[in-house]
Amino acid sequence: MTIVLLEALTFGLGRLADAARTAGHDLVLLTGDRSIYRHELSRCGDRVRVVDIDTTDVTACERAMRELPELAGLISSTDTWALPGADLAARLGLPGPAPAAVRVLRDKAAVRSRLHAHGLSRSGPLDPATAQDFPLVVKDSAGTSSRAVWVCRTPAERDAALREAADTPLKGVLTAEPYFEGPLYSAETISWRGETRLLGVLSRVLSPEPARREEASAFPVVLPEADLAELDDWIGRVLKAAGHESGFAHTEFVLTTAGPEVVEINARIGGALVGEALCRALGTNAYDAMVQIALGRRPELLDGATGGGPATGFVALYPRQAGVLEGWTGLDRLSGLPGNPEWYPTADPGDLLEHLTDQRSCTGIVLAEGPTAELALHRAQAAAGGVIPLVRVHG
């Protein structure tokens, strides 16, 4: 039998192929650009069959899926393809979330409105043209990867953001909300039919304002028992209010002086190396749960004993200037450093890197292990500090 993957996150394809094989199914990846998965596919061998197709053409994808033998499930693990994936599952009679629920979850303004209505946020969405609740964030309601996000502390900064946004392609519409100040984290959860389990909390390190680019993360954050219990209860209420019923969720939140405030809810497993961090810390292949949910089964991860594995920290490496990537120095020294640091490339020599204020310019990620998230992050930062992207100025 066959499970289809409608595009995927940059990493985790190998883990997902293992999970499909464990369930006795073949994994077929539909993609419009297989080069995105070059690193993962190089490690998968024959465990993943790739179908090159325009994945923005839902009708073509449906036709291709109907031709596959014994189609049993569909996985759509990215934000961009979440709604097309839900629509395809409904058309083909496969298990999957209701398209209407996914439509809400992909709309940051709609989610903010629901959270405010349930007393889970101090504010609903704001009109970006008139909002005066400074500091505030102006953002694309369906944006991803920190793109089209502006932090505004004054009316002048807001007006400048509006001018820049007018020339920026948006996936949704422009919205605004208060800029919640404090340390940023994300809650990594698994849900099934409204029941949610908090798998752990991921820390986030951002670049200085105004860009607020994601620089590093670590998992699982060690929190006081009482604080963790409160977060567990809170995230369950947040996901219920937002309409997320089943599957992984990666919910970014800020711990403000008044308590947690949601930044955004991503109805998927976390990007970058979050999935790998989950697998290592939990001592299991977390992607087994993704396959089980795609087959309409209660995920074992919701109930089973987990833990005992190493914590991880990972650091994203960005170029210091825009240009053409020529390679990296310092990769050869990783094997001699503590924490078993590993290199995960996200770009290739020859790639043009232009967008230095968001994740699009990330060239690779260094991951390291440790007994705690704090120590793992220190090791990852030490290892990453010696790896330098080499960029040739373009033009």
Side-chain angles (χ1 to χ4, degrees):
M1 300 182 77
T2 305
I3 294 175
V4 166
L5 184 59
L6 181 65
E7 296 292 358
L9 297 171
T10 306
F11 299 108
L13 189 56
R15 293 276 194 181
L16 194 51
D18 289 341
R21 180 162 290 186
T22 297
H25 291 68
D26 296 325
L27 185 65
V28 174
L29 170 66
L30 303 188
T31 179
D33 183 4
R34 67 167 67 198
S35 68
I36 296 172
Y37 314 106
R38 185 179 294 115
H39 175 76
E40 288 281 313
L41 287 173
S42 68
R43 300 181 173 192
C44 288
D46 63 354
R47 292 176 297 156
V48 179
R49 175 187 163 197
V50 181
V51 174
D52 298 293
I53 190 171
D54 179 2
T55 48
T56 65
D57 187 338
V58 175
T59 300
C61 290
E62 180 183 359
R63 185 165 53 248
M65 291 175 65
R66 289 189 183 278
E67 294 174 356
L68 295 172
E70 299 183 280
L71 182 61
L74 170 64
I75 295 173
S76 180
S77 60
T78 71
D79 296 323
T80 301
W81 277 269
L83 187 53
D87 286 338
L88 280 168
R91 291 187 191 188
L92 295 164
L94 298 172
V102 176
R103 195 168 287 108
V104 170
L105 288 163
R106 286 291 297 126
D107 184 336
K108 301 178 196 300
V111 169
R112 177 69 53 199
S113 181
R114 286 195 174 197
L115 295 179
H116 183 57
H118 285 80
L120 293 166
S121 178
R122 73 172 189 240
S123 172
L126 305 173
D127 182 344
T130 60
Q132 299 290 333
D133 189 8
F134 296 103
L136 58 82
V137 175
V138 175
K139 63 168 76 172
D140 181 353
S141 65
T144 61
S145 302
S146 298
R147 302 177 195 178
V149 177
W150 297 269
V151 178
C152 308
R153 292 187 175 275
T154 66
E157 290 182 354
R158 180 202 60 203
D159 294 344
L162 293 176
R163 289 192 296 271
E164 187 174 343
D167 295 324
T168 301
L170 302 178
K171 294 184 177 181
V173 298
L174 206 62
T175 186
E177 61 191 38
Y179 176 46
F180 303 115
E181 299 191 271
L184 177 66
Y185 301 91
S186 61
E188 311 304 327
T189 57
I190 186 74
S191 300
W192 177 250
R193 296 180 178 176
E195 181 184 350
T196 292
R197 180 182 187 182
L198 176 62
L199 300 171
V201 174
L202 180 87
S203 68
R204 315 293 285 276
V205 179
L206 301 179
S207 62
E209 295 181 19
R212 307 303 280 167
R213 184 179 66 186
E214 294 185 10
E215 304 276 348
S217 298
F219 181 87
V221 175
V222 178
L223 295 169
E225 188 173 333
D227 291 355
L228 189 61
E230 288 181 5
L231 278 174
D232 192 357
D233 173 72
W234 172 80
I235 192 61
R237 290 185 287 120
V238 162
L239 294 179
K240 183 177 180 181
H244 179 69
E245 292 287 329
S246 294
F248 284 98
H250 169 76
T251 305
E252 298 180 12
F253 67 94
V254 172
L255 273 182
T256 75
T257 55
E261 278 279 2
V262 169
V263 174
E264 63 181 33
I265 298 173
N266 301 285
R268 55 167 171 79
I269 201 166
L273 294 176
V274 177
E276 183 64 24
L278 283 170
C279 291
R280 297 192 188 200
L282 301 177
T284 189
N285 186 356
Y287 292 84
D288 286 337
M290 196 179 294
V291 168
Q292 290 158 3
I293 289 172
L295 297 174
R297 303 173 186 167
R298 180 184 176 89
E300 295 174 5
L301 190 58
L302 195 67
D303 308 299
T306 57
T312 53
F314 50 93
V315 177
L317 294 179
Y318 297 93
R320 295 171 182 171
Q321 59 185 355
V324 176
L325 179 66
E326 294 188 327
W328 302 265
T329 62
L331 292 177
D332 56 340
R333 60 186 282 278
L334 293 182
S335 61
L337 294 172
N340 303 311
E342 298 177 47
W343 171 243
Y344 292 80
T346 57
D348 293 298
D351 287 352
L352 177 61
L353 306 172
E354 300 178 282
H355 306 281
L356 300 186
T357 60
D358 59 51
Q359 277 79 274
R360 284 175 289 180
S361 62
C362 177
T363 68
I365 303 172
V366 174
L367 177 144
E369 298 180 345
T372 66
E374 182 180 29
L375 292 174
L377 182 58
H378 293 167
R379 293 172 178 180
Q381 289 173 321
V387 180
I388 308 298
L390 301 176
V391 172
R392 171 174 48 85
V393 177
H394 181 63

